[in-house]
Amino acid sequence: MGKTIAIANQKGGVGKTTTAINLSASLAMLGKRVLLIDADPQANATSGLGVDPKTMTASIYECLVDAYPAREAAVKTCVDNLMVLGSRIDLVGAELELINKDDRERALLRAIEGVKDLYDYVLIDCSPSLGLITVNALTAADSVIIPVQAEYFALEGISKLLNTIRIIKSRLNPSLRIEGFLLTMYDARLRLANQIYEELKSHFAELVFNTVIPRNIRLSEAPSHGLPAILYDPSSRGATSHMQLAKELIKKN
């Protein structure tokens, strides 16, 4: 059975979608069967893998609200072994649609139950909020990767996310655990970036990934071409760091 990993942090701009696209692509390039679920109405993970949301038969919205089969909604991407269950702007309305449904926090868990066995990894790109869709993602996940930006306010808000994870563990998903904290947008020349890495290590020890994701122009450019960095520029630091992260994740598991 595949492992389901949510990529979450309610703070925006920390690199969640960049991590989701490039980690899933790197795992696929290493021969793993991967499904990326885009649980963000902005649909950046969908378009970042070259999929036009307008061309999809169905999105995660239909899977959550109308019980549309996730197996049929998932589409191929530009990377072999990597499928995406895409998103569209109508996902914004899913929280209202779900609010009166029974067991609404487990809608995503039910949606992917039939497809988990088809993949080695199911990654969920969460939106920058702690709303019902993110609660669904954390309830469906076996573990969570928390991207942390190497900047001054990086550690702000982590306590709020950790509290949410504690609540979900106690009420909805007792087996949920933290896969790791991932330092993103790292610049080794800056003393502050190194201080934040050390602070993360002192707080969370072995829960911090050894791999750090550097600031890299290729990582920023690749989504506009509908490609992960590993296809856009395989030799770039952005591409090689995500490949290193994928290998570290596989080794951990």
Side-chain angles (χ1 to χ4, degrees):
M1 182 181 281
K3 180 165 191 176
T4 303
I5 304 174
I7 300 171
N9 189 332
Q10 81 278 8
K11 194 174 186 298
V14 299
K16 284 187 297 297
T17 300
T18 300
T19 301
I21 291 171
N22 291 288
L23 176 57
S24 59
S26 297
L27 287 167
M29 296 285 275
L30 291 169
K32 301 298 180 185
R33 297 162 302 159
V34 185
L35 173 66
L36 175 58
I37 298 174
D38 189 349
D40 186 343
Q42 295 177 83
N44 290 334
T46 305
S47 59
L49 285 169
V51 176
D52 183 352
K54 297 189 194 77
T55 65
M56 299 186 306
T57 306
S59 70
I60 185 176
Y61 173 87
E62 284 81 11
C63 297
L64 290 171
V65 175
D66 303 324
Y68 191 94
R71 185 190 296 243
E72 293 175 29
V75 296
K76 289 182 178 179
T77 69
C78 53
V79 183
D80 289 342
N81 296 325
L82 174 57
M83 303 284 283
V84 65
L85 176 50
S87 178
R88 284 194 281 246
I89 191 64
D90 57 6
L91 185 60
V92 169
E95 301 211 357
L96 290 174
E97 298 266 7
L98 289 171
I99 205 77
N100 293 318
K101 288 185 182 277
D102 293 333
D103 210 14
R104 59 184 179 266
E105 298 88 357
R106 292 188 171 87
L108 182 57
L109 180 63
R110 290 191 295 272
I112 65 171
E113 264 174 343
V115 297
K116 274 188 77 169
D117 289 346
L118 303 176
Y119 300 98
D120 298 305
Y121 290 93
V122 177
L123 301 186
I124 308 172
D125 180 30
C126 298
S127 65
S129 75
L130 294 177
L132 184 55
I133 303 299
T134 299
V135 168
N136 261 269
L138 294 172
T139 302
D142 300 306
S143 64
V144 55
I145 290 174
I146 303 172
V148 179
Q149 191 176 1
E151 291 192 358
Y152 182 68
F153 293 115
L155 302 179
E156 270 198 4
I158 284 183
S159 59
K160 191 174 179 183
L161 177 60
L162 293 178
N163 191 49
T164 301
I165 290 170
R166 272 193 293 271
I167 292 167
I168 287 170
K169 277 188 70 146
S170 66
R171 298 181 187 173
L172 295 164
N173 183 5
S175 61
L176 180 66
R177 66 182 188 84
I178 294 171
E179 190 71 44
F181 292 86
L182 174 67
L183 198 64
T184 61
M185 304 180 197
Y186 178 78
D187 187 340
R189 297 168 302 177
L190 300 179
R191 185 191 302 170
L192 178 63
N194 293 299
Q195 284 174 346
I196 288 167
Y197 184 73
E198 292 306 320
E199 202 165 331
L200 267 180
K201 274 286 194 186
S202 69
H203 277 90
F204 303 110
E206 73 282 354
L207 286 178
V208 181
F209 283 104
N210 293 321
T211 305
V212 297
I213 308 300
R215 281 195 178 278
N216 181 247
I217 193 67
R218 291 292 190 252
L219 275 180
S220 305
E221 291 172 350
S224 66
H225 296 269
L227 294 170
I230 197 75
L231 292 185
Y232 180 64
D233 185 351
S235 62
S236 66
R237 287 170 64 236
T240 55
S241 62
H242 281 97
M243 184 59 76
Q244 188 179 331
L245 175 64
K247 289 174 180 174
E248 186 177 349
L249 181 65
I250 291 168
K251 192 175 178 183
K252 276 182 80 170
N253 289 283

